[in-house]
């Protein structure tokens, strides 16, 4: 059987699944892969309508100025970090209430209260790193030696841009672990893997998608030639505390490549090898992601270190 690749997208709303799959194909292979690739599209579980086809996705580092969006009010840019953390946590709690359809309310309540403190530590750490990046500043005009990126926005714009990523990343992860959304998200990934036994298999996850993909592969023990995670929070101890099983390379995964940018707020910790045995199956990579929030999927999939091992499995560079 020919090789296949299954994608698992990350936080926030996305464009329709066919377009999203084609965008990932193009970034990773240079063109649409047709039936050789599938997108595990869980966004409808959290968002009622997809993003417009031509609209920017600010959570993937799109060039829209975050201070112009309603998602994060302009006032959030000047909000003290501790207030932003408290407000985001409270919003996540409210969202995890009535919408937690996959578990009854008592089960959700039982899971949320004892365990949320550790995950809130991740929220706090992301927020302070976001503000550190925003406050770093940059020259008024770019030079040939420096890329055009989020730091060229005014400081208020940089703060709002990074906090937008923090807010959505935390809320979706909170919904996954505490809001009852986890089982349905995992089911989407499991269905995308159906019927792919026999040929070489690559699984590619981004952001929260790396958690979902990882836990499904842990459950199934399915043979996977290559697992690729980019912008992943799986190395963050507060996230590991909430995994269904202790951290380990899923039994069926032959090789795991994990790539992140040091400035990626969601990744925060960048090395899986110390916690996920057997270590020899894992390669941790530091790459440069010059999307405006350093978390964009196109920039991750376009990296040679990410593309090359996937294309080798397909045998002809994705052609």
């Amino acid at each position: 059987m020919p090789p296949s690749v299954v994608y698992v997208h990350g936080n926030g709303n996305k464009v329709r699944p066919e377009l999203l799959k084609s965008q990932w194909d193009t970034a990773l292979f240079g063109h649409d892969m047709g039936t050789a690739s599938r997108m595990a599209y869980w966004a409808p579980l959290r968002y009622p309508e997809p993003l417009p086809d031509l609209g920017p996705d600010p959570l993937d580092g799109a060039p829209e100025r975050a201070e112009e969006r309603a998602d994060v009010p302009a006032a959030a840019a000047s909000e003290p970090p501790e207030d932003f953390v408290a407000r985001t946590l409270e919003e996540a709690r409210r969202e995890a209430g009535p919408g937690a359809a996959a578990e009854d309310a008592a089960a959700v309540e039982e899971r949320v209260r004892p365990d949320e403190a550790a995950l809130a530590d991740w929220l706090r750490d992301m927020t302070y790193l976001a503000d550190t990046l925003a406050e770093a500043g940059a020259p008024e005009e770019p030079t040939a030696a420096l890329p055009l990126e989020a730091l060229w926005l005014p400081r208020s714009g940089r703060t709002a841009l990074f906090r937008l990523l923090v807010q959505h990343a935390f809320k979706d992860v909170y919904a996954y672990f505490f809001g009852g959304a986890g089982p349905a998200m995992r089911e989407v990934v499991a269905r995308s893997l159906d019927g792919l036994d026999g040929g070489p298999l690559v699984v590619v996850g981004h952001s929260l998608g790396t958690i979902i993909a990882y836990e499904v592969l842990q459950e199934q023990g399915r043979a996977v030639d290559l697992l690729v995670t980019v912008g992943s929070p799986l190395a963050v101890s507060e996230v590991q505390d909430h995994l269904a099983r202790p951290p380990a390379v899923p039994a069926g995964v032959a090789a795991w490549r994990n790539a992140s940018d040091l400035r990626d707020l969601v990744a925060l910790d960048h090395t899986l090898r110390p916690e996920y045995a057997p270590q020899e199956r894992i390669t941790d990579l530091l790459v440069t992601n010059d999307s405006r929030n350093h978390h964009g999927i196109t920039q991750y999939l376009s990296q040679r270190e990410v593309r090359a091992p996937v294309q080798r499995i397909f045998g002809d560079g994705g052609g």
Side-chain angles (χ1 to χ4, degrees):
M1 291 182 64
S4 302
V5 56
V6 172
Y7 303 129
V8 189
H9 71 78
N11 305 92
N13 200 9
K14 303 300 172 193
V15 296
R16 56 191 170 87
E18 299 84 0
L19 178 57
L20 186 64
K21 183 193 87 74
S22 183
Q23 291 172 348
W24 284 44
D25 280 346
T26 302
L28 189 58
F29 294 101
H31 57 84
D32 191 288
M33 294 295 289
T35 59
S37 64
R38 299 179 179 182
M39 175 61 68
Y41 188 73
W42 57 262
L45 299 173
R46 294 274 295 153
Y47 304 94
E49 297 290 338
L51 294 176
D53 284 3
L54 301 179
D57 181 353
L59 298 189
D60 276 346
E64 185 180 44
R65 290 167 66 104
E67 69 267 32
E68 296 174 354
R69 291 182 54 86
D71 304 58
V72 176
S78 58
E79 189 177 22
E82 58 272 19
D83 292 348
F84 173 78
V85 168
R87 179 172 60 81
T88 301
L89 179 57
E90 183 55 36
E91 289 174 0
R93 287 172 179 155
R94 288 200 303 270
E95 290 182 14
E103 298 179 61
D104 62 48
V108 171
E109 183 69 15
E110 182 180 352
R111 291 181 62 198
V112 169
R113 300 309 167 193
D115 297 336
E116 73 176 10
L119 200 62
D121 287 343
W122 177 55
L123 168 62
R124 184 198 62 240
D125 291 345
M126 280 195 296
T127 301
Y128 278 98
L129 176 57
D131 287 2
T132 298
L133 288 175
E135 292 169 3
E140 289 300 318
E141 297 294 335
T143 68
L146 294 172
L148 184 65
E149 58 180 44
L151 295 182
W152 303 116
L153 291 173
R155 177 173 168 181
S156 62
R158 296 193 303 270
T159 303
L161 177 75
F162 291 135
R163 286 189 174 185
L164 178 67
L165 175 60
V166 168
Q167 187 180 69
H168 278 272
F170 180 77
K171 286 183 178 181
D172 282 350
V173 171
Y174 193 99
Y176 176 79
F177 284 122
F178 300 132
M185 290 179 178
R186 291 192 294 274
E187 178 61 24
V188 170
V189 175
R191 287 200 307 267
S192 297
L193 291 167
D194 284 346
L196 296 180
D197 299 312
L201 176 61
V202 178
V203 176
V204 180
H206 177 223
S207 196
L208 171 57
T210 68
I211 299 176
I212 307 170
Y214 167 79
E215 293 217 288
V216 169
L217 296 179
Q218 279 277 58
E219 291 171 2
Q220 293 188 346
R222 170 186 296 271
V224 174
D225 294 77
L226 178 64
L227 172 61
V228 178
T229 53
V230 295
S232 174
L234 280 168
V236 176
S237 60
E238 292 87 354
V239 170
Q240 293 173 14
D241 288 343
H242 295 88
L243 298 175
R245 304 181 185 184
V249 178
V253 171
W256 184 351
R257 291 177 77 85
N258 176 61
S260 60
D261 185 300
L262 286 172
R263 301 162 296 179
D264 187 337
L265 305 174
V266 178
L268 204 62
D269 192 331
H270 306 276
T271 53
L272 294 174
R273 294 184 82 244
E275 290 89 18
Y276 291 78
Q279 294 184 1
E280 60 269 18
R281 295 191 200 171
I282 299 179
T283 303
D284 288 310
L285 303 165
L286 291 179
V287 299
T288 300
N289 186 323
D290 277 330
S291 60
R292 293 163 78 89
N293 61 9
H294 314 299
H295 188 65
I297 184 60
T298 298
Q299 288 75 10
Y300 271 131
L301 296 183
S302 300
Q303 296 291 316
R304 181 185 59 80
E305 299 94 330
V306 174
R307 299 178 78 185
V310 178
Q311 293 179 354
R312 279 197 296 270
I313 289 174
F314 280 75
D316 59 356

